[in-house]
Amino acid sequence: MHVFVTGGTGHSGPYIISDLIAAGHEVTALARSDKAEEAVSRLGAKVRRGSLEDVDGLKAAAANADGVVHVAHRQDLLPTGGINAVAAAEREIMLAYGEALAGTGKPLVVSASIGGPGWEGLGRPATEEDPSLPGGDSYKGALRVRNIVETTVIGLAEQGVRSSIVRIPEIMHSSTDNAGFLPLLIGLAKEKGVVGYPGDGENRWTAVHARDLASVFRLALEKGAAGKNWHAVADEGFSFRELAEALGSRLNLPAVSIPADALMLPGFFGFLANLVTLDTPASAAITRRVLGWEPTQPGLFADLDNGHYFPAH
């Protein structure tokens, strides 16, 4: 299969490209700079020069491919338009893919977040069959505004696109993780001298190794049915307090409760304040059964000892 991939130089992208090529697929990756072109070429992918702003170019690339994996975002819009602008731009791209792939039955696999759909208070781990709650304008400024992208992608299934969503945990970890939540939380702890957790810290997060995540994208591309959500969740729900204590033990810093109120949380966590309170346990049982996915990499807590997150001094 000839696969067009966006986001090939992000955290997950290189793992996805490598996994696809190892499985015998041919990959063309979007690259907006010489540096990006060099990076994806080194992985064995062909290069299509362009950017996410060029929606017509993306549409043409999709039309020329046997399938599309989209894991890129318009990060450049964040400083001026925030997540609302990012979601709006991404929805436009999804509609363009829909035009290119309508009636072909070709796969379109798009990334989303376990933390996004708005499931707080489900009282059980979310499953792949739980739809994203409505997003859009009424949730401006919140992660949930991006749900419009998920619902758009799933909707393309009705137009003859084998479209699906891969929901990614809050923490995607690997030896190349330089900008995810773990490095942010570790940096914050070093700055504050303590590892904070919100309230009692019993809210739950999920995690996956980037290499295991990549295989979910490939399996969804190869054999996932249209209109489905997949969960790339290896650690299905650990408490934020457990995470804080694990980080604290490795940093030799105390883990302390930060009162979960409107002043204390932003005062300590800054822009992460809304995210650290998420309670989003999630199951990947359907993904494992239907796609035959089996995580093989170290779990989150084992991977904390890989030497990357806490290099020896």
Side-chain angles (χ1 to χ4, degrees), residues 113-184:
S113 167
I114 290 288
W119 295 319
E120 287 85 343
L122 265 184
R124 57 168 173 78
T127 79
E128 296 87 339
E129 292 178 344
D130 286 312
S132 290
L133 299 181
D137 287 351
S138 48
Y139 293 92
K140 280 188 170 171
L143 203 54
R144 191 165 152 186
V145 76
R146 194 186 170 275
N147 285 7
I148 190 72
V149 178
E150 282 198 46
T151 53
T152 299
V153 171
I154 296 301
L156 293 177
E158 295 171 14
Q159 298 174 30
V161 182
R162 191 156 59 82
S163 56
S164 63
I165 289 287
V166 174
R167 292 174 176 150
I168 302 175
E170 289 88 350
I171 293 181
M172 176 186 9
H173 54 96
S174 76
S175 61
T176 57
D177 179 13
N178 299 313
F181 282 134
L182 274 183
L184 287 172

Side-chain angles (χ1 to χ4, degrees), residues 237-312:
F238 49 87
S239 75
F240 199 95
R241 181 172 181 167
E242 280 181 83
L243 174 61
E245 288 173 345
L247 298 181
S249 71
R250 288 158 176 86
L251 291 167
N252 202 22
L253 293 173
V256 300
S257 169
I258 309 299
D261 66 44
L263 287 176
M264 296 294 282
L265 281 185
F268 186 90
F269 288 106
F271 73 96
L272 295 174
N274 290 332
L275 297 168
V276 297
T277 56
L278 286 175
D279 183 33
T280 52
S283 163
I286 293 171
T287 301
R288 288 172 186 249
R289 185 177 75 247
V290 176
L291 295 184
W293 178 58
E294 201 53 58
T296 60
Q297 301 299 308
L300 170 62
F301 293 97
D303 207 23
L304 289 179
D305 292 325
N306 73 9
H308 172 68
Y309 292 108
F310 306 99

Side-chain angles (χ1 to χ4, degrees), residues 8-277:
T9 58
H11 183 192
S12 63
Y15 291 94
I16 291 169
I17 290 172
S18 298
D19 191 78
L20 287 169
I21 290 173
H25 299 292
E26 181 185 323
V27 175
T28 296
L30 185 71
R32 65 178 303 154
S33 66
D34 291 345
K35 185 180 176 187
E37 179 171 342
E38 187 185 327
V40 296
S41 295
R42 222 171 23 240
L43 294 167
K46 293 179 179 175
V47 176
R48 183 185 177 96
R49 285 299 286 259
S51 70
L52 296 177
E53 291 98 300
D54 180 11
V55 177
D56 287 339
L58 296 175
K59 186 174 169 182
N64 289 332
D66 299 318
V68 178
V69 172
H70 181 91
V71 293
H73 304 288
R74 287 284 307 275
Q75 303 285 11
D76 58 301
L77 295 174
L78 278 172
T80 52
I83 194 166
N84 310 328
V86 176
E90 197 172 0
R91 180 170 185 263
E92 187 186 348
I93 292 168
M94 297 308 123
L95 293 172
Y97 287 149
E99 289 177 25
L101 302 174
T104 64
K106 290 178 180 178
L108 167 66
V109 186
V110 179
S111 63
S113 167
I114 290 288
W119 295 319
E120 287 85 343
L122 265 184
R124 57 168 173 78
T127 79
E128 296 87 339
E129 292 178 344
D130 286 312
S132 290
L133 299 181
D137 287 351
S138 48
Y139 293 92
K140 280 188 170 171
L143 203 54
R144 191 165 152 186
V145 76
R146 194 186 170 275
N147 285 7
I148 190 72
V149 178
E150 282 198 46
T151 53
T152 299
V153 171
I154 296 301
L156 293 177
E158 295 171 14
Q159 298 174 30
V161 182
R162 191 156 59 82
S163 56
S164 63
I165 289 287
V166 174
R167 292 174 176 150
I168 302 175
E170 289 88 350
I171 293 181
M172 176 186 9
H173 54 96
S174 76
S175 61
T176 57
D177 179 13
N178 299 313
F181 282 134
L182 274 183
L184 287 172
L185 292 170
I186 291 165
L188 186 67
K190 289 177 177 176
E191 176 194 327
K192 303 280 188 179
V194 297
V195 188
Y197 55 86
D200 62 10
E202 289 305 306
N203 60 301
R204 289 150 297 176
W205 273 23
T206 57
V208 69
H209 191 285
R211 199 176 301 276
D212 286 326
L213 170 77
S215 60
V216 179
F217 277 93
R218 175 178 53 79
L219 291 165
L221 189 86
E222 290 173 345
K223 58 183 181 180
K228 298 294 186 184
N229 299 301
W230 307 109
H231 284 186
V233 179
D235 291 290
E236 299 193 345
F238 49 87
S239 75
F240 199 95
R241 181 172 181 167
E242 280 181 83
L243 174 61
E245 288 173 345
L247 298 181
S249 71
R250 288 158 176 86
L251 291 167
N252 202 22
L253 293 173
V256 300
S257 169
I258 309 299
D261 66 44
L263 287 176
M264 296 294 282
L265 281 185
F268 186 90
F269 288 106
F271 73 96
L272 295 174
N274 290 332
L275 297 168
V276 297
T277 56

